[in-house]
Amino acid sequence: MIEDACLSKTSGPLGLDCVYADIIAPADTDFARTHVMVHGGMHTGACWMRTPDNREGWALRLARTGDRVICVDWPGCGRSGYVPPEKLTGQLVADQIAAAVKTLKGEIILWTHSMGGAIGWRIAELLAGRLSRLVAIAPGPPGNIQPVAKLMSQGPDRLTMEFAGVPLDVHPNGPVVLSHEAARAKLIGSSTQFPRQHTDSYLAGLQAVPRQLFLERVNFEGQQLRMLTPNALAGTQVLIVTGDSDPDHPPATDSAIGDFLTEQGMISRFVYLPDHDITGNGHMMMLERNSDQILDLILVLINES
């Protein structure tokens, strides 16, 4: 909740009825640029708004710099309303978010996280010529370079794969629901910065992941979204930000995404937080106790480029 005369907040459809968003902007000044923030799996746009220990999230802090901030919920997820499961693909999510963003004016910076990063590479292609920068937080790679998922077993009633170090069953019908054990391992892991006294309330708020979106994220049978237009984003600046306590995102993995983007003509910079004396961060760095310090670093890097 925002109780601040310096900021205004509205919520509702963004451009198209299928994309719900929270929009935060300076109350009495014009803004020069807009940050569009795309969440990852098991979350909604609310993850950018407030931390588990009830501090202001990155969206509010960005708005306090004088910019407009838009936090979207994926189509078919959160508050964006129902999409039939057979139609809910990563391409549809990318298409509809990109179409909504195209209705905006001015400079646009796209922020993505995790599974939203994999979708975000395609969103960025669809917005070629509109984006000034892309900030990818522990992002999933595009399907061009992601290994195919390895199954533990496959039968008529389920797929079983290892996810976050534990077996995970994916059934033919219905979304993917992670156990608290798997969610804790994936999202918190060995982080020393996550406010662990709020772990239970955080895990209780997680969302199920639509089945097809999950299968794309793990690149089952090569289904992950791919970047389709080489050099479409040539010259676009990208920051890839990774912490040192995120087991699914070791430096070699995320820096390889940067190398691929550089080959596509993008100006990519890999930001490994310990290189900037910021340590202990896991997968949900925007929710962790030192989130303000991380955002301050990102803003310095954005504004110096």
Side-chain angles (χ1 to χ4, degrees):
M1 183 175 181
I2 298 176
E3 296 180 356
D4 191 329
C6 296
L7 297 177
S8 68
K9 176 180 180 290
T10 58
S11 301
L14 176 66
L16 303 171
D17 289 343
C18 52
V19 179
Y20 182 101
D22 289 317
I23 303 172
I24 310 100
D28 56 1
T29 60
D30 294 331
F31 48 84
R33 59 189 182 184
T34 298
H35 303 266
V36 176
M37 310 189 84
V38 180
H39 62 85
M42 295 181 280
H43 293 78
T44 68
C47 71
W48 303 105
M49 298 287 289
R50 207 145 200 101
T51 66
D53 53 355
N54 203 34
R55 292 177 297 107
E56 288 190 349
W58 285 2
L60 296 180
R61 291 204 60 228
L62 286 168
R64 293 192 187 283
T65 70
D67 294 341
R68 178 172 61 173
V69 183
I70 298 176
C71 302
V72 302
D73 288 358
W74 296 347
C77 300
R79 298 160 294 178
S80 284
Y82 179 74
V83 175
E86 66 275 12
K87 295 183 178 180
L88 185 52
T89 65
Q91 186 63 57
L92 180 141
V93 173
D95 285 342
Q96 295 190 352
I97 291 177
V101 173
K102 285 178 180 178
T103 67
L104 306 175
K105 297 180 180 179
E107 179 184 353
I108 296 171
I109 299 176
L110 179 66
W111 296 63
T112 66
H113 175 242
S114 187
M115 186 172 166
I119 295 170
W121 308 122
R122 186 69 189 127
I123 295 173
E125 281 194 310
L126 295 169
L127 295 174
R130 290 297 319 278
L131 297 181
S132 64
R133 292 172 182 81
L134 197 162
V135 181
I137 308 298
N144 310 64
I145 60 172
Q146 182 175 349
V148 174
K150 295 181 179 179
L151 297 181
M152 299 174 66
S153 64
Q154 181 172 1
D157 62 338
R158 75 187 65 186
L159 305 170
T160 302
M161 61 186 69
E162 184 177 301
F163 187 81
V166 299
L168 175 68
D169 290 335
V170 180
H171 297 276
N173 299 305
V176 176
V177 180
L178 265 65
S179 67
H180 278 195
E181 177 189 10
R184 185 182 291 108
K186 168 65 177 174
L187 301 172
I188 301 175
S190 61
S191 168
T192 60
Q193 296 290 355
F194 193 89
R196 289 180 180 267
Q197 69 272 32
H198 300 285
T199 295
D200 289 345
S201 59
Y202 166 68
L203 293 176
L206 296 177
Q207 309 289 303
V209 181
R211 181 180 186 273
Q212 180 57 35
L213 295 184
F214 181 84
L215 292 177
E216 291 178 17
R217 173 60 189 93
V218 298
N219 205 22
F220 175 66
E221 295 182 340
Q223 294 181 42
Q224 178 63 288
L225 280 178
R226 301 171 66 88
M227 296 184 72
L228 301 177
T229 313
N231 299 313
L233 294 167
T236 303
Q237 299 185 50
V238 182
L239 294 179
I240 298 173
V241 186
T242 304
D244 60 349
S245 297
D246 188 346
D248 286 342
H249 292 265
T253 297
D254 283 9
S255 63
I257 299 174
D259 293 341
F260 172 78
L261 299 178
T262 298
E263 293 172 0
Q264 310 307 306
M266 303 174 75
I267 302 171
S268 177
R269 179 171 181 176
F270 175 58
V271 181
Y272 185 52
L273 292 179
D275 292 341
H276 299 269
D277 299 320
I278 301 175
T279 60
N281 289 102
H283 195 58
M284 301 302 301
M285 65 180 73
M286 75 289 290
L287 301 181
E288 296 185 321
R289 293 178 301 172
N290 62 345
S291 59
D292 287 352
Q293 184 183 11
I294 298 170
L295 181 61
D296 288 343
L297 170 64
I298 293 172
L299 287 175
V300 167
L301 297 176
I302 286 175
N303 293 326
E304 74 179 15
S305 57

